[in-house]
Amino acid sequence: METAQKNEDQPEAVIEVRDLVTHYGTRKILNGVSLDIHQGEIMVIMGGSGSGKSTLLRYLMALEKQTSGTISILGKDISKISKQEFFELRKRFGVAFQGGALFSSLTVGENIMLPLYEHTKLDRKTMEIMARMKLEVVNLAGFEDLMPSELSGGMIKRAAVARAIVMDPRILFFDEPSAGLDPVVSSALDDLILTLRDAMGMTIVVVTHELDSAFKIADRITMLDRGDILFIGSVEEIRSHPSERIQNLLNRRAEDETVDPDEYLRRLTGEDTGG
Amino acid sequence: MNNASQQNAVSRLFERIGKIFFGALEEIGRHGVMLGESLYWLFVGPRLKQPVRVASIFDEMMEIGVRAVPIVAVMTGTIGIMLAIQGIHTLKIFGAESRVVIGISFSMVREFGPLITGILVAGRSGSALAARLGTMKISQEIDALEVMGINPVRYLVVPALLACILMVPALTFFGDIVGLFAGGLFVGLMLDISMAAYIDQTIEILSVDDLMHGLGKSLIFGVLIALIGVLNGFMVKGGAEGVGKATTRAVVQCISALVVTDMLFAFIVTL
């Protein structure tokens, strides 16, 4: 088990995860994860593919039901609150998915207005102005009448951010913001994430495997590996951490797995797949 | 061979039958749950400040209903003529060609109108629903809705379901009329019966019960098409190939469900 890094003098935790265990089918994905995310910080969740980082994000967004453990968001245990409370809570989330997840049947502007249209009683003119304001924030002014299919990858991600922040959420989730983008665009997106935190005081959770991006934006980094938390701490702490495992992950060294010849033979012949 | 392996084969056979049976049961259960959830959002949604939008119901009605009018007209018209041809051919044996109107009216209104319309809507809209929801699922648009606090069932399923419930019977009624009319044209040509006389006979033969038999059936068809399309879409896994499979599956399941329901309905109502 990891040592949960709890500092009582830290600001209030916006998200509190305790001993989260999850399964995908019968496969165990998260192995008792505990983690606090504080008000106004950028928490970067890192780890290689298969480490469970995207899974953790899905649970933080309450898209799945956990096997055991608790997740509290804004002081509420999300498995215990009523449907109504849950909806109220979700209105304070914003999410920018990996592929943008813009609704392909709506224009960019309509995409951004959708949460306003569904959750507020503003008139259309006001909603249009708010959508343009958010597009302005993400440097996409004037694109509101295009369809998502007419945008480039980087523009789709920025439009997704505009949609995520249109309700002025308390918590913003980013799934792999720099995946599939060239370095310049990806760096601009990092700047945007920093701006959002500084200008709007949002708590931001970013899942990524890009080291450069993580080191640039993170206040703290959570390092996941095979369903366990290896480390939680600041950028400096992680850089100077003595653990060989962490340094290997940071320096992109593949780790030599110790191979037991018998076990290897058993794997190849496919006998005893339960092991 | 030996007894043990025989026993093994038998137990494996039973295991497979059991699996298929419970799989089917589970699927039927899912449809029930989806229907329940849709009704929940339709009636309780407004109180949770999550009303079903009238505009999106009209959009779906346009897509599922109005845009299907030409193809429904062509197909039911063709069926009407086909019924006239077969009817006249068969009744010739007894020299009772003029009684063909009975055959056309009953089979059109009670059977072919609802079934052909249902199959057309299943092919057009059942598949389209599965493909659209499936694509939304794999591009995380469904997750995005969920996280935005917009329930996907309320936002995507209920409008399609309501549109099917309203439009499939409406299309069926329209198809009935087109089919009867086309049959009448053919009968008029072949047997020298005037259109006015044909219409009089048809109205005399058909009762409200017959019409309701067909329309009631088509209402159930509408529910089935929407639920099967939607659920196959929601269950998509594994990228573009998954969407393709779900679309095919939706059409096959829709048509099978329609035909079986048709028979069951006729059995229960007429006996």
Side-chain angles (χ1 to χ4, degrees):
Chain A
M1 276 293 281
E2 80 289 347
T3 50
Q5 315 243 325
K6 256 203 294 186
N7 296 327
E8 297 305 332
D9 55 322
Q10 284 283 350
E12 55 157 328
V14 177
I15 300 178
E16 229 181 78
V17 182
R18 289 289 171 272
D19 303 320
L20 181 67
V21 178
T22 71
H23 287 82
Y24 184 80
T26 52
R27 205 150 48 90
K28 202 173 193 178
I29 305 291
L30 293 177
N31 201 3
V33 166
S34 296
L35 153 86
D36 282 346
I37 298 170
H38 305 133
Q39 167 63 39
E41 77 170 345
I42 299 180
M43 170 63 94
V44 175
I45 300 171
M46 291 195 67
S49 41
S51 60
K53 58 184 191 305
S54 300
T55 309
L56 178 57
L57 190 68
R58 287 184 69 80
Y59 283 87
L60 291 183
M61 297 187 294
L63 283 172
E64 315 272 349
K65 289 245 177 299
Q66 66 262 35
T67 313
S68 68
T70 59
I71 302 170
S72 302
I73 296 176
L74 299 170
K76 287 180 180 132
D77 184 339
I78 56 171
S79 55
K80 288 197 184 117
I81 58 180
S82 71
K83 247 189 174 136
Q84 183 63 42
E85 275 181 299
F86 195 56
F87 275 118
E88 293 303 321
L89 191 62
R90 274 206 163 138
K91 287 183 199 170
R92 304 163 86 180
F93 288 8
V95 186
F97 284 93
Q98 188 170 349
L102 295 178
F103 303 112
S104 47
S105 56
L106 305 177
T107 65
V108 173
E110 285 167 343
N111 258 288
I112 297 168
M113 283 189 285
L114 184 65
L116 295 174
Y117 183 66
E118 290 295 331
H119 296 316
T120 68
K121 289 200 165 67
L122 299 172
D123 61 294
R124 193 164 173 97
K125 198 82 205 140
T126 318
M127 291 197 285
E128 277 170 9
I129 291 170
M130 286 179 74
R132 283 197 205 105
M133 265 166 57
K134 302 299 176 185
L135 279 171
E136 209 67 65
V137 173
V138 297
N139 277 324
L140 274 182
F143 285 88
E144 61 263 31
D145 292 329
L146 292 186
M147 299 305 283
S149 56
E150 297 170 294
L151 300 184
S152 74
M155 287 154 92
I156 285 178
K157 290 214 171 171
R158 279 184 285 153
V161 175
R163 186 178 67 184
I165 61 173
V166 75
M167 294 284 286
D168 293 320
R170 287 276 305 273
I171 309 169
L172 196 52
F173 296 99
F174 279 91
D175 191 6
E176 301 277 6
S178 38
L181 298 183
D182 69 69
V184 180
V185 177
S186 135
S187 166
L189 205 55
D190 290 342
D191 290 333
L192 176 61
I193 293 173
L194 287 168
T195 313
L196 288 176
R197 195 266 317 260
D198 295 338
M200 304 186 182
M202 292 173 189
T203 305
I204 300 180
V205 183
V206 182
V207 163
T208 185
H209 62 271
E210 296 278 334
L211 275 178
D212 297 337
S213 159
F215 284 166
K216 184 172 167 190
I217 59 177
D219 291 315
R220 290 194 305 149
I221 292 179
T222 299
M223 180 78 90
L224 269 179
D225 186 44
R226 294 175 199 163
D228 284 311
I229 289 187
L230 275 185
F231 172 83
I232 302 176
S234 67
V235 176
E236 288 72 37
E237 281 168 350
I238 199 169
R239 273 192 169 136
S240 58
H241 200 278
S243 152
E244 198 190 337
R245 180 113 188 86
I246 289 176
Q247 291 308 321
N248 278 343
L249 284 170
L250 289 186
N251 296 316
R252 303 165 187 199
R253 270 197 299 265
E255 202 159 318
D256 299 326
E257 280 186 61
T258 47
V259 178
D260 171 26
D262 287 341
E263 166 65 28
Y264 182 62
L265 196 63
R266 223 177 300 134
R267 270 210 308 256
L268 286 185
T269 52
E271 289 167 22
D272 184 26
T273 45
Chain B
M1 282 274 266
N2 59 32
N3 225 354
S5 81
Q6 243 171 12
Q7 239 172 10
N8 223 335
V10 170
S11 76
R12 242 179 308 164
L13 177 72
F14 275 113
E15 198 180 310
R16 197 176 301 165
I17 292 171
K19 248 184 205 157
I20 292 172
F21 177 72
F22 281 106
L25 215 60
E26 194 186 333
E27 198 128 311
I28 292 170
R30 278 209 201 99
H31 288 85
V33 170
M34 180 59 80
L35 182 62
E37 226 176 295
S38 303
L39 293 176
Y40 174 85
W41 284 109
L42 181 60
F43 294 112
V44 186
R47 243 189 296 152
L48 297 172
K49 286 190 213 133
Q50 295 244 347
V52 176
R53 305 279 171 186
V54 178
S56 50
I57 300 174
F58 277 116
D59 282 350
E60 294 283 354
M61 282 169 71
M62 191 71 197
E63 186 52 48
I64 293 170
V66 178
R67 300 230 162 86
V69 164
I71 185 72
V72 168
V74 172
M75 294 322 280
T76 48
T78 313
I79 294 282
I81 294 170
M82 180 273 280
L83 285 173
I85 297 169
Q86 297 285 27
I88 292 171
H89 174 80
T90 316
L91 291 168
K92 216 178 246 166
I93 303 168
F94 312 105
E97 291 102 314
S98 60
R99 310 302 290 159
V100 72
V101 187
I102 298 179
I104 298 175
S105 345
F106 277 148
S107 26
M108 197 67 220
V109 170
R110 291 175 70 97
E111 205 47 62
F112 284 103
L115 196 60
I116 293 297
T117 311
I119 287 172
L120 284 172
V121 175
R124 280 185 86 253
S125 303
S127 60
L129 276 173
R132 193 176 62 184
L133 291 189
T135 314
M136 291 185 78
K137 172 96 191 284
I138 59 171
S139 63
Q140 292 189 300
E141 288 172 43
I142 306 263
D143 287 342
L145 277 178
E146 190 103 45
V147 178
M148 280 181 204
I150 300 170
N151 184 284
V153 173
R154 164 184 74 92
Y155 188 76
L156 298 169
V157 178
V158 180
L161 180 67
L162 283 183
C164 277
I165 289 177
L166 293 171
M167 290 319 273
V168 176
L171 278 174
T172 302
F173 185 66
F174 167 75
D176 286 348
I177 290 170
V178 174
L180 289 174
F181 186 74
L185 283 181
F186 188 83
V187 171
L189 269 175
M190 299 300 286
L191 303 181
D192 239 6
I193 300 176
S194 77
M195 201 59 188
Y198 174 82
I199 291 173
D200 277 348
Q201 272 197 51
T202 308
I203 291 174
E204 205 172 304
I205 292 163
L206 287 177
S207 66
V208 179
D209 269 2
D210 296 317
L211 196 64
M212 283 303 140
H213 179 97
L215 294 184
K217 221 160 34 180
S218 68
L219 189 130
I220 300 174
F221 290 172
V223 175
L224 286 173
I225 293 168
L227 289 180
I228 291 172
V230 157
L231 270 165
N232 276 297
F234 272 135
M235 289 192 298
V236 163
K237 275 188 207 118
E241 202 195 335
V243 175
K245 272 187 194 151
T247 312
T248 314
R249 214 166 160 262
V251 176
V252 173
Q253 281 187 355
C254 274
I255 294 177
S256 317
L258 255 49
V259 173
V260 173
T261 312
D262 192 16
M263 185 272 284
L264 288 177
F265 189 92
F267 181 78
I268 292 168
V269 172
T270 47
L271 284 189

mmCIF file of all heavy atoms in Angstrom, chain A residues 22-52:
data_model
loop_
_atom_site.group_PDB
_atom_site.id
_atom_site.type_symbol
_atom_site.label_atom_id
_atom_site.label_comp_id
_atom_site.label_asym_id
_atom_site.label_seq_id
_atom_site.Cartn_x
_atom_site.Cartn_y
_atom_site.Cartn_z
ATOM 1 N N THR A 22 -11.337 -0.964 -7.896
ATOM 2 C CA THR A 22 -12.255 -1.104 -9.025
ATOM 3 C C THR A 22 -11.890 -2.318 -9.853
ATOM 4 O O THR A 22 -10.742 -2.752 -9.878
ATOM 5 C CB THR A 22 -12.194 0.124 -9.951
ATOM 6 O OG1 THR A 22 -10.944 0.103 -10.659
ATOM 7 C CG2 THR A 22 -12.308 1.413 -9.189
ATOM 8 N N HIS A 23 -12.890 -2.852 -10.508
ATOM 9 C CA HIS A 23 -12.688 -3.986 -11.404
ATOM 10 C C HIS A 23 -13.232 -3.662 -12.773
ATOM 11 O O HIS A 23 -14.207 -2.933 -12.906
ATOM 12 C CB HIS A 23 -13.402 -5.232 -10.861
ATOM 13 C CG HIS A 23 -12.729 -5.828 -9.678
ATOM 14 N ND1 HIS A 23 -12.921 -5.328 -8.418
ATOM 15 C CD2 HIS A 23 -11.860 -6.865 -9.564
ATOM 16 C CE1 HIS A 23 -12.204 -6.046 -7.560
ATOM 17 N NE2 HIS A 23 -11.545 -6.983 -8.237
ATOM 18 N N TYR A 24 -12.596 -4.217 -13.794
ATOM 19 C CA TYR A 24 -13.175 -4.185 -15.136
ATOM 20 C C TYR A 24 -13.461 -5.634 -15.479
ATOM 21 O O TYR A 24 -12.540 -6.404 -15.739
ATOM 22 C CB TYR A 24 -12.187 -3.567 -16.122
ATOM 23 C CG TYR A 24 -12.747 -3.418 -17.516
ATOM 24 C CD1 TYR A 24 -13.580 -2.354 -17.832
ATOM 25 C CD2 TYR A 24 -12.452 -4.347 -18.503
ATOM 26 C CE1 TYR A 24 -14.106 -2.220 -19.089
ATOM 27 C CE2 TYR A 24 -12.978 -4.218 -19.773
ATOM 28 C CZ TYR A 24 -13.806 -3.148 -20.067
ATOM 29 O OH TYR A 24 -14.334 -3.026 -21.319
ATOM 30 N N GLY A 25 -14.737 -6.012 -15.441
ATOM 31 C CA GLY A 25 -15.061 -7.423 -15.516
ATOM 32 C C GLY A 25 -14.506 -8.085 -14.261
ATOM 33 O O GLY A 25 -14.831 -7.676 -13.154
ATOM 34 N N THR A 26 -13.645 -9.081 -14.442
ATOM 35 C CA THR A 26 -13.050 -9.712 -13.269
ATOM 36 C C THR A 26 -11.644 -9.187 -13.007
ATOM 37 O O THR A 26 -11.023 -9.524 -12.006
ATOM 38 C CB THR A 26 -12.974 -11.235 -13.471
ATOM 39 O OG1 THR A 26 -12.326 -11.479 -14.718
ATOM 40 C CG2 THR A 26 -14.349 -11.860 -13.472
ATOM 41 N N ARG A 27 -11.129 -8.361 -13.934
ATOM 42 C CA ARG A 27 -9.759 -7.859 -13.780
ATOM 43 C C ARG A 27 -9.757 -6.661 -12.831
ATOM 44 O O ARG A 27 -10.557 -5.746 -12.958
ATOM 45 C CB ARG A 27 -9.216 -7.425 -15.151
ATOM 46 C CG ARG A 27 -7.740 -7.439 -15.289
ATOM 47 C CD ARG A 27 -7.343 -7.730 -16.728
ATOM 48 N NE ARG A 27 -8.087 -6.905 -17.672
ATOM 49 C CZ ARG A 27 -7.693 -5.712 -18.091
ATOM 50 N NH1 ARG A 27 -6.553 -5.206 -17.684
ATOM 51 N NH2 ARG A 27 -8.419 -5.002 -18.939
ATOM 52 N N LYS A 28 -8.821 -6.711 -11.888
ATOM 53 C CA LYS A 28 -8.723 -5.615 -10.937
ATOM 54 C C LYS A 28 -7.930 -4.483 -11.590
ATOM 55 O O LYS A 28 -6.847 -4.705 -12.137
ATOM 56 C CB LYS A 28 -7.989 -6.105 -9.689
ATOM 57 C CG LYS A 28 -8.260 -5.293 -8.455
ATOM 58 C CD LYS A 28 -7.609 -5.991 -7.260
ATOM 59 C CE LYS A 28 -8.103 -5.414 -5.953
ATOM 60 N NZ LYS A 28 -7.506 -6.108 -4.814
ATOM 61 N N ILE A 29 -8.460 -3.273 -11.571
ATOM 62 C CA ILE A 29 -7.769 -2.161 -12.209
ATOM 63 C C ILE A 29 -7.115 -1.259 -11.169
ATOM 64 O O ILE A 29 -5.915 -1.003 -11.220
ATOM 65 C CB ILE A 29 -8.737 -1.321 -13.073
ATOM 66 C CG1 ILE A 29 -9.449 -2.210 -14.082
ATOM 67 C CG2 ILE A 29 -7.981 -0.205 -13.775
ATOM 68 C CD1 ILE A 29 -8.587 -2.763 -15.171
ATOM 69 N N LEU A 30 -7.897 -0.789 -10.208
ATOM 70 C CA LEU A 30 -7.326 0.052 -9.158
ATOM 71 C C LEU A 30 -7.316 -0.747 -7.859
ATOM 72 O O LEU A 30 -8.266 -1.431 -7.534
ATOM 73 C CB LEU A 30 -8.129 1.339 -8.990
ATOM 74 C CG LEU A 30 -8.063 2.310 -10.177
ATOM 75 C CD1 LEU A 30 -8.959 3.500 -9.928
ATOM 76 C CD2 LEU A 30 -6.638 2.752 -10.446
ATOM 77 N N ASN A 31 -6.229 -0.558 -7.145
ATOM 78 C CA ASN A 31 -5.881 -1.487 -6.098
ATOM 79 C C ASN A 31 -5.863 -0.795 -4.737
ATOM 80 O O ASN A 31 -4.879 -0.862 -4.020
ATOM 81 C CB ASN A 31 -4.492 -2.027 -6.461
ATOM 82 C CG ASN A 31 -4.195 -3.321 -5.794
ATOM 83 O OD1 ASN A 31 -5.054 -3.852 -5.094
ATOM 84 N ND2 ASN A 31 -2.990 -3.798 -5.975
ATOM 85 N N GLY A 32 -6.898 -0.050 -4.415
ATOM 86 C CA GLY A 32 -6.905 0.650 -3.142
ATOM 87 C C GLY A 32 -6.196 1.984 -3.238
ATOM 88 O O GLY A 32 -5.141 2.194 -2.640
ATOM 89 N N VAL A 33 -6.771 2.906 -3.999
ATOM 90 C CA VAL A 33 -6.136 4.203 -4.236
ATOM 91 C C VAL A 33 -6.722 5.248 -3.285
ATOM 92 O O VAL A 33 -7.932 5.339 -3.130
ATOM 93 C CB VAL A 33 -6.374 4.633 -5.701
ATOM 94 C CG1 VAL A 33 -6.043 6.090 -5.907
ATOM 95 C CG2 VAL A 33 -5.552 3.757 -6.637
ATOM 96 N N SER A 34 -5.835 6.017 -2.623
ATOM 97 C CA SER A 34 -6.289 7.125 -1.781
ATOM 98 C C SER A 34 -5.602 8.393 -2.243
ATOM 99 O O SER A 34 -4.407 8.381 -2.545
ATOM 100 C CB SER A 34 -5.935 6.876 -0.318
ATOM 101 O OG SER A 34 -6.634 5.752 0.150
ATOM 102 N N LEU A 35 -6.360 9.481 -2.272
ATOM 103 C CA LEU A 35 -5.818 10.683 -2.902
ATOM 104 C C LEU A 35 -6.692 11.881 -2.557
ATOM 105 O O LEU A 35 -7.908 11.761 -2.489
ATOM 106 C CB LEU A 35 -5.793 10.405 -4.407
ATOM 107 C CG LEU A 35 -5.871 11.430 -5.489
ATOM 108 C CD1 LEU A 35 -4.464 11.946 -5.748
ATOM 109 C CD2 LEU A 35 -6.387 10.776 -6.755
ATOM 110 N N ASP A 36 -6.042 13.033 -2.276
ATOM 111 C CA ASP A 36 -6.781 14.279 -2.047
ATOM 112 C C ASP A 36 -6.444 15.270 -3.147
ATOM 113 O O ASP A 36 -5.290 15.384 -3.537
ATOM 114 C CB ASP A 36 -6.365 14.917 -0.709
ATOM 115 C CG ASP A 36 -7.019 14.211 0.460
ATOM 116 O OD1 ASP A 36 -7.953 13.441 0.216
ATOM 117 O OD2 ASP A 36 -6.576 14.443 1.594
ATOM 118 N N ILE A 37 -7.441 15.963 -3.642
ATOM 119 C CA ILE A 37 -7.170 17.037 -4.595
ATOM 120 C C ILE A 37 -7.708 18.321 -3.983
ATOM 121 O O ILE A 37 -8.866 18.380 -3.567
ATOM 122 C CB ILE A 37 -7.813 16.738 -5.958
ATOM 123 C CG1 ILE A 37 -7.197 15.460 -6.543
ATOM 124 C CG2 ILE A 37 -7.591 17.900 -6.920
ATOM 125 C CD1 ILE A 37 -7.887 14.925 -7.758
ATOM 126 N N HIS A 38 -6.845 19.321 -3.895
ATOM 127 C CA HIS A 38 -7.204 20.523 -3.142
ATOM 128 C C HIS A 38 -7.785 21.609 -4.021
ATOM 129 O O HIS A 38 -7.568 21.640 -5.229
ATOM 130 C CB HIS A 38 -5.965 21.055 -2.414
ATOM 131 C CG HIS A 38 -5.319 20.041 -1.543
ATOM 132 N ND1 HIS A 38 -3.972 19.816 -1.539
ATOM 133 C CD2 HIS A 38 -5.858 19.153 -0.674
ATOM 134 C CE1 HIS A 38 -3.695 18.838 -0.688
ATOM 135 N NE2 HIS A 38 -4.822 18.423 -0.161
ATOM 136 N N GLN A 39 -8.488 22.517 -3.359
ATOM 137 C CA GLN A 39 -9.077 23.680 -4.019
ATOM 138 C C GLN A 39 -7.996 24.482 -4.761
ATOM 139 O O GLN A 39 -6.966 24.818 -4.210
ATOM 140 C CB GLN A 39 -9.756 24.538 -2.936
ATOM 141 C CG GLN A 39 -10.156 25.920 -3.360
ATOM 142 C CD GLN A 39 -11.205 25.863 -4.456
ATOM 143 O OE1 GLN A 39 -12.101 25.026 -4.438
ATOM 144 N NE2 GLN A 39 -11.075 26.745 -5.440
ATOM 145 N N GLY A 40 -8.254 24.743 -6.036
ATOM 146 C CA GLY A 40 -7.398 25.652 -6.795
ATOM 147 C C GLY A 40 -6.077 25.075 -7.256
ATOM 148 O O GLY A 40 -5.216 25.820 -7.736
ATOM 149 N N GLU A 41 -5.892 23.772 -7.147
ATOM 150 C CA GLU A 41 -4.618 23.229 -7.624
ATOM 151 C C GLU A 41 -4.799 22.493 -8.950
ATOM 152 O O GLU A 41 -5.915 22.112 -9.318
ATOM 153 C CB GLU A 41 -4.001 22.292 -6.589
ATOM 154 C CG GLU A 41 -4.635 20.921 -6.517
ATOM 155 C CD GLU A 41 -3.837 19.950 -5.643
ATOM 156 O OE1 GLU A 41 -2.666 20.262 -5.335
ATOM 157 O OE2 GLU A 41 -4.397 18.916 -5.269
ATOM 158 N N ILE A 42 -3.673 22.336 -9.641
ATOM 159 C CA ILE A 42 -3.680 21.489 -10.828
ATOM 160 C C ILE A 42 -3.036 20.173 -10.450
ATOM 161 O O ILE A 42 -1.851 20.117 -10.133
ATOM 162 C CB ILE A 42 -2.916 22.137 -11.994
ATOM 163 C CG1 ILE A 42 -3.565 23.465 -12.395
ATOM 164 C CG2 ILE A 42 -2.879 21.199 -13.198
ATOM 165 C CD1 ILE A 42 -2.881 24.178 -13.530
ATOM 166 N N MET A 43 -3.844 19.132 -10.412
ATOM 167 C CA MET A 43 -3.336 17.803 -10.078
ATOM 168 C C MET A 43 -3.175 17.024 -11.374
ATOM 169 O O MET A 43 -4.134 16.866 -12.121
ATOM 170 C CB MET A 43 -4.319 17.094 -9.148
ATOM 171 C CG MET A 43 -4.038 15.621 -8.911
ATOM 172 S SD MET A 43 -2.475 15.310 -8.086
ATOM 173 C CE MET A 43 -3.017 15.226 -6.366
ATOM 174 N N VAL A 44 -1.954 16.589 -11.639
ATOM 175 C CA VAL A 44 -1.726 15.796 -12.838
ATOM 176 C C VAL A 44 -1.623 14.330 -12.431
ATOM 177 O O VAL A 44 -0.856 13.994 -11.534
ATOM 178 C CB VAL A 44 -0.447 16.239 -13.565
ATOM 179 C CG1 VAL A 44 -0.162 15.314 -14.742
ATOM 180 C CG2 VAL A 44 -0.585 17.667 -14.051
ATOM 181 N N ILE A 45 -2.422 13.494 -13.063
ATOM 182 C CA ILE A 45 -2.350 12.055 -12.809
ATOM 183 C C ILE A 45 -1.567 11.437 -13.958
ATOM 184 O O ILE A 45 -1.944 11.562 -15.113
ATOM 185 C CB ILE A 45 -3.754 11.439 -12.707
ATOM 186 C CG1 ILE A 45 -4.510 12.095 -11.551
ATOM 187 C CG2 ILE A 45 -3.666 9.937 -12.511
ATOM 188 C CD1 ILE A 45 -5.974 11.732 -11.491
ATOM 189 N N MET A 46 -0.438 10.824 -13.613
ATOM 190 C CA MET A 46 0.444 10.272 -14.637
ATOM 191 C C MET A 46 0.559 8.771 -14.504
ATOM 192 O O MET A 46 0.211 8.203 -13.477
ATOM 193 C CB MET A 46 1.844 10.878 -14.502
ATOM 194 C CG MET A 46 1.908 12.325 -14.873
ATOM 195 S SD MET A 46 3.610 12.791 -15.103
ATOM 196 C CE MET A 46 4.007 11.842 -16.546
ATOM 197 N N GLY A 47 1.130 8.188 -15.531
ATOM 198 C CA GLY A 47 1.351 6.750 -15.498
ATOM 199 C C GLY A 47 1.360 6.228 -16.914
ATOM 200 O O GLY A 47 0.837 6.883 -17.819
ATOM 201 N N GLY A 48 1.980 5.068 -17.093
ATOM 202 C CA GLY A 48 2.027 4.495 -18.433
ATOM 203 C C GLY A 48 0.656 3.988 -18.844
ATOM 204 O O GLY A 48 -0.302 4.076 -18.078
ATOM 205 N N SER A 49 0.574 3.443 -20.059
ATOM 206 C CA SER A 49 -0.721 2.907 -20.460
ATOM 207 C C SER A 49 -0.994 1.654 -19.638
ATOM 208 O O SER A 49 -0.084 0.900 -19.319
ATOM 209 C CB SER A 49 -0.750 2.609 -21.955
ATOM 210 O OG SER A 49 0.463 2.043 -22.348
ATOM 211 N N GLY A 50 -2.235 1.466 -19.264
ATOM 212 C CA GLY A 50 -2.595 0.329 -18.435
ATOM 213 C C GLY A 50 -2.356 0.546 -16.959
ATOM 214 O O GLY A 50 -2.530 -0.357 -16.158
ATOM 215 N N SER A 51 -1.948 1.772 -16.592
ATOM 216 C CA SER A 51 -1.669 2.018 -15.176
ATOM 217 C C SER A 51 -2.950 2.291 -14.402
ATOM 218 O O SER A 51 -2.956 2.294 -13.181
ATOM 219 C CB SER A 51 -0.733 3.206 -15.035
ATOM 220 O OG SER A 51 -1.326 4.347 -15.600
ATOM 221 N N GLY A 52 -4.039 2.542 -15.116
ATOM 222 C CA GLY A 52 -5.305 2.822 -14.437
ATOM 223 C C GLY A 52 -5.620 4.296 -14.327
ATOM 224 O O GLY A 52 -6.571 4.674 -13.662
#
